[in-house]
Amino acid sequence: MGQDQNIPGELLSRLTRFGRVVLLDTVLSTNDHALSLKPGHEPAVVVARHQTRGRGRFRRPWYSDDESLTFSLLLSKETPGLPRAGMIAHVAGLALCNAIEKATGLKPLIRWPNDVMHRDQKLAGILCEGRGSAVAVGVGLNVNQTAFPDGVHDAGSLRTATGRDWDRFELLEGFLEEMLGLLAEAGKGETAGLLSALKERSAVLNRRVEVATLLRRHVGTVIDLDSEGRIVLRTDAGRLVVLGAGQVRRLR
Ligand code: BTN
């Protein structure tokens, strides 16, 4: 087990108030591990020091190392009022931004759909995947890295953004507190506040962007985020396009 996985007992017991906690040294992917757990014990959190086959959106490999916080939160789809998977990923982006801001004072934004950004650097990625009655919210947060390997573009860490180290498990605790709080609000149907918070955290709203989808590339200005978490784009040709998935690049 890596040095930082030796989590102090007091912090571990604080984490267990959110649900079952599984601490692992090396795993293929925390999402796969979480989704293989016997159902009925959600929420559960699977944290790993090292992933050998971590993956990102569009099945891209996901880079992480001992300085990252790498985990999956497993939720039951049967939780009353649980938003659909796409929306859960947006909520996770918001929860992560809130937790980072509370801990560090940074004001990260969400590059739609759910990359957590500080300035033009990606601090964290989120991948939500469902299987059977469960959904895994996988989060990779760059915490104390001072540099990234060649080929990992536009990445930053809390350390590069603030000049100091941060405790990964305290950040995890902050995330779980925010996330489960926001999901409880959504479960009570209080979604208007959630949507306006998502809009405030958006790095793309009212910005000119290029969006690559599986089928084509759109260039235009994001004029809204709808209640399903889709972006409404006014293309340069004047058409309105509503997109539920894609890869966004901000244009100057
Ligand atoms: C992305 O930005 O493309 C999403 C990256 C998600 C990475 C996390 S790390 C924990 C969990 N396990 C995985 O294999 N992926 C997610």
Side-chain angles (χ1 to χ4, degrees), residues 30 98 144 204 238:
T30 56
N98 292 350
N144 292 324
V204 302

Side-chain angles (χ1 to χ4, degrees), residues 29-31 51 54-57 62 71 115 122 125-126 138-140:
S29 151
T30 56
N31 269 17
Q51 287 187 130
R55 60 178 175 274
R57 295 198 312 132
W62 175 255
F71 69 93
D115 289 342
K122 178 163 165 172
I126 295 168
V139 177

